[in-house]
Amino acid sequence: MEEEEETDEKAILEQVFGPSSSSSSSEEEEKWDWVAIEKVKGLWICSNFLSQRHQNHLLSAINSHNWFTGTGPTTSNQAMCFGNLPPWAHQLSQLIHTSSSSILPHHLLSRDPFFDQMIVNMYLPGQGICPHVDLLRFQDAIAILSLESSCVMHFTPVLAAADADNSNASSVPVLLNPGSLVLLSGEARYHWKHEINRNPGFQLWQGIELEQSRRISITLRKLCPDP
Ligand SMILES: O=C(O)CCC(=O)C(=O)O
Ligand SMILES: [Fe+2]
């Protein structure tokens, strides 16, 4: 990483999460190890996007909205924001922008705001999301931050999806651990479906079934301009 980028990174992290205390400074040294998922062009994962302290900070910001604290059958498991994001989400968006400056094409990085729509999803063990391509009302470059519980997200080519055997064979698993950020752009965003199946037996990573607890995800996207 260039020296200037490192300074940027530190400044934004401090702006978002406050200055790091010396006791936790070694844990705070996030280097943003972006890994390209080879089989899915435009799919990137950064497993160490947020330290534990930074994850806790975000979780308390989310909890302060009381989105998921209701009881009974009408309890919501999703919160959506359009346009004006809460300050913590706006800052997270800036952090994602800085961190992805060497990955995303310039025409995506130069848009302002970078993201203007957010969904926060809360999944209990066993709950996931069916295979889908995100709606075309959203532009390219979608970011998903994971908190609390790990899960495996599967990517399947849109064209293979109709043929069950073929789609299983070409499905690409990606581990989303807490604190990780996944970026979908280009082919990964438009030509691959993504899915999280948390039914018993499906959350396998390297042959071992993941232990599940509540999972929270923050999805950030940018709306297309009105036609
Ligand atoms: O919760 C996640 O990790 C994925 C959410 C998602 O794919 C969506 O909201 O379109
Ligand atoms: Fe999605």
Side-chain angles (χ1 to χ4, degrees):
M1 191 184 291
E2 300 296 321
E3 198 176 310
E4 200 178 308
E5 265 181 48
E6 269 181 43
T7 320
D8 269 7
E9 170 185 336
K10 191 160 180 292
I12 295 185
L13 279 167
E14 289 206 355
Q15 202 188 333
V16 179
F17 302 105
S20 60
S21 65
S22 52
S23 60
S24 58
S25 60
S26 60
E27 194 226 356
E28 304 276 285
E29 282 169 19
E30 284 150 350
K31 287 283 188 291
W32 287 329
D33 295 322
W34 284 107
V35 173
I37 307 295
E38 253 177 60
K39 290 184 183 155
V40 187
K41 198 160 178 273
L43 182 61
W44 295 82
I45 176 90
C46 178
S47 304
N48 63 344
F49 186 72
L50 289 186
S51 69
Q52 190 57 55
R53 185 179 79 93
H54 294 155
Q55 292 169 53
N56 294 345
H57 182 100
L58 269 194
L59 280 167
S60 21
I62 290 170
N63 287 338
S64 70
H65 291 278
N66 288 321
W67 285 321
F68 309 126
T69 49
T71 51
T74 57
T75 301
S76 169
N77 56 8
Q78 187 173 78
M80 269 194 220
C81 301
F82 288 87
N84 282 336
L85 304 181
W88 59 266
H90 176 70
Q91 289 162 342
L92 176 65
S93 159
Q94 281 186 290
L95 195 61
I96 296 172
H97 180 266
T98 304
S99 74
S100 58
S101 61
S102 54
I103 296 177
L104 292 177
H106 180 258
H107 73 275
L108 297 177
L109 289 164
S110 60
R111 70 193 185 193
D112 187 26
F114 188 44
F115 294 121
D116 60 9
Q117 198 264 353
M118 173 177 72
I119 296 189
V120 182
N121 281 305
M122 188 273 283
Y123 303 91
L124 296 173
Q127 297 177 337
I129 190 160
C130 294
H132 66 281
V133 171
D134 283 19
L135 297 175
L136 296 180
R137 64 196 287 234
F138 298 110
Q139 296 184 24
D140 198 0
I142 292 166
I144 304 170
L145 180 83
S146 292
L147 296 168
E148 294 195 318
S149 180
S150 289
C151 74
V152 181
M153 182 177 258
H154 281 93
F155 289 81
T156 323
V158 170
L159 288 177
D163 168 354
D165 286 345
N166 192 5
S167 95
N168 283 345
S170 47
S171 164
V172 177
V174 178
L175 179 69
L176 308 186
N177 57 285
S180 68
L181 185 77
V182 69
L183 264 187
L184 285 68
S185 70
E187 287 191 20
R189 187 258 179 272
Y190 292 108
H191 302 310
W192 290 74
K193 295 188 178 203
H194 50 283
E195 123 179 69
I196 300 168
N197 185 342
R198 292 176 96 206
N199 289 324
F202 284 88
Q203 283 291 302
L204 292 175
W205 185 252
Q206 296 175 344
I208 295 168
E209 183 138 19
L210 298 179
E211 211 170 291
Q212 298 192 29
S213 61
R214 186 176 90 144
R215 172 172 179 268
I216 290 205
S217 68
I218 303 172
T219 302
L220 286 158
R221 300 182 277 215
K222 167 90 167 171
L223 281 162
C224 292
D226 283 336

